[in-house]
Amino acid sequence: MARFIFITGGVVSSLGKGLASAALGALLQARGYTVRLRKLDPYLNVDPGTMSPFEHGEVFVTDDGAETDLDLGHYERFTGVAARMSDSISSGRVYSTVLEKERRGDYLGKTIQVIPHVTNEIKDFISIGEDEVDFMLCEIGGTVGDIEGLPFFEAIRQFAQDKPRGQCIFMHLTLLPYLAASGELKTKPTQHSVKELRSIGLAPDILVCRSEHPIPEREREKIGLFCNVRKDAVIAAYDLKSIYEAPLAYHAQGLDQAVLDAFGISPAPAPNLSVWHDVADRIHNPEGEVRVAIVGKYTQLEDAYKSIAEALTHGGMANRVKVRIDWVDAELFDREDAAPYLEGFHAILVPGGFGERGTEGKIKAAQFAREKGVPYLGICLGMQMAVIEAARNVAGLPTAGSEEFDHESGSRRFEPVVYHLKEWVQGNQTVARKADDAKGGTMRLGAYDANLRDGSKVAEIYGTSVIEERHRHRYEVDTKYREQLEAKGLCFTGMSPDGKLPEIVEWKDHPWFIGVQFHPELKSKPFAPHPLFADFVRAAVENSRLV
Ligand code: GLN
């Protein structure tokens, strides 16, 4: 039976709860334990799948096809444990399940209430798979005191009460603001935040305090005293140059020891942190730098492409170089020459996206990369744009485009080389979709196999002929144009096992030009960089030697 660690936040949002949870997961693994991490989000969307990346950052997709919070990406990158649908839940999902049950008559005529019906649903969710791991880490989104978070806080209070003593602990993240005028770190907001927690029946065992300045021993004692937390369990979390230093930094501050102490685990198994030392060494001692342009739409918000930025960093680590990312807004050159915006980069990446805005710029970025021999990685929409570029400028189809844009504008303007996917095979079932289906959860989502063509660049990079990658798309490159495009050199080197859906395209006579319909970034880890990203960065390094 798992031990449970509940992670909450107070004072302000964006304190790095997800990162602290992920780093703690990694530290427990380093001590030989198995872990699973889970996110409970209080917002009312059923999942983040329908939210704009501006609202919520990237949507992280699991193997089993759930559209989840980007924190699940952190969890995977730090622990290597593949997240599942059952690791992410929101108020919206909880309420829709409760209301479905109510409509079915499952509650046998009872009045449905937040306590116990909603809280029971949350508790059931928390305990899924509790026999599978040593530690289950559950992070509650938002901050203590948020109205919508209350059912979650109440549920974890009850959950800990239902379990034998010592099986659940609470870790709370806060901020110690620094007042420059008096030169002091202030502990009052932390005290208030803990008071707020205690008023709903939760007493933290561990306090993680974010601070830009060193926390003097005296302040640590004071926080412990006023918040009723042992001094050793008041952990400092300082700003880091790289998120991948977090496991070592938290270990140095005694976080994992404090957690094991709180559970009364003694003697604690010694940690083996060699993986994280190697990761830190690669981050801190690069032997060069390459510049990569990410040509996208949501460039003001880096969280929108979180996993891509991380996967590029991992690719850099594999090659012992620093990858400098420049975010280039594709809309800037929708109607003008792309060259002034793209010259000087060692590689170009066009990420996934939705809707027509900015796509003409992305098509020009693909053209620039193809013509100038610059390494190009197109992901999802970035692959579709590369195919449209090839169709328009090489294969003699000047009106080539995607049905997605015609659907959006309600007019027929393009020859659809990328069409709306109506049917595909999942396992041994056929999945069907219509253009006017509801939007939530209806894309081709999650892990699917692809077969790679012998002798292709991708087969060489992956070192295998069958791969499994995660997907999230509604539109697909039409094989109708395959022969025409291949005759010109754009080869379809990865296909779905039934041979119907193009998964990868690559230009034959180009140093490195690959488009993939899936999202390889979701599976990359600092200690196991994804082969496509590792090789893309290698190609960028090679290109940097030419310029
Ligand atoms: N909008 C495109 C589609 O639905 C691409 C999706 C993506 O890039 N994730 O197919």
Side-chain angles (χ1 to χ4, degrees), residues 354-493:
F354 293 85
E356 188 174 3
R357 200 155 61 76
T359 50
E360 289 303 321
K362 292 176 188 176
I363 290 168
K364 284 187 187 152
Q367 181 178 9
F368 177 87
R370 173 178 60 78
E371 290 176 348
K372 302 277 186 230
V374 178
Y376 176 95
L377 175 57
I379 294 177
C380 208
L381 189 70
M383 163 185 175
Q384 298 173 356
M385 295 305 102
V387 172
I388 291 172
E389 192 279 315
R392 283 187 192 174
N393 302 326
V394 187
L397 296 162
T399 59
S402 169
E403 247 189 343
E404 179 172 7
F405 313 148
D406 279 349
H407 284 160
E408 199 178 36
S409 66
S411 56
R412 172 88 216 258
R413 294 167 298 152
F414 295 113
E415 168 146 7
V417 296
V418 178
Y419 72 105
H420 185 269
L421 194 52
K422 314 237 172 18
E423 201 176 279
W424 66 90
V425 178
Q426 182 172 34
N428 42 26
Q429 276 185 328
T430 301
V431 185
R433 293 282 186 266
K434 292 192 294 298
D436 57 357
D437 275 346
K439 289 282 180 285
T442 53
M443 281 186 257
R444 181 170 176 253
L445 288 166
Y448 285 88
D449 284 352
N451 295 341
L452 307 184
R453 186 189 293 175
D454 278 351
S456 62
K457 188 181 246 86
V458 283
E460 186 193 323
I461 292 171
Y462 275 95
T464 177
S465 56
V466 184
I467 57 166
E468 189 194 72
E469 294 281 7
R470 295 184 192 167
H471 295 70
R472 181 174 187 248
H473 63 121
R474 217 183 295 282
Y475 295 85
E476 179 63 82
V477 172
D478 198 331
T479 45
K480 211 162 69 189
Y481 303 91
R482 178 176 178 163
E483 260 179 48
Q484 213 170 335
L485 288 163
E486 291 210 328
K488 298 289 180 187
L490 186 70
C491 302
F492 289 39
T493 50

Side-chain angles (χ1 to χ4, degrees), residues 43 122 129 135 201-202 239 243 252 293 347 398 402 419 496 505 525 541:
Y43 52 70
I122 298 172
F135 287 95
L202 297 173
D239 296 348
I243 57 170
S402 169
Y419 72 105
S496 60
V505 296
K525 322 268 185 315
V541 173

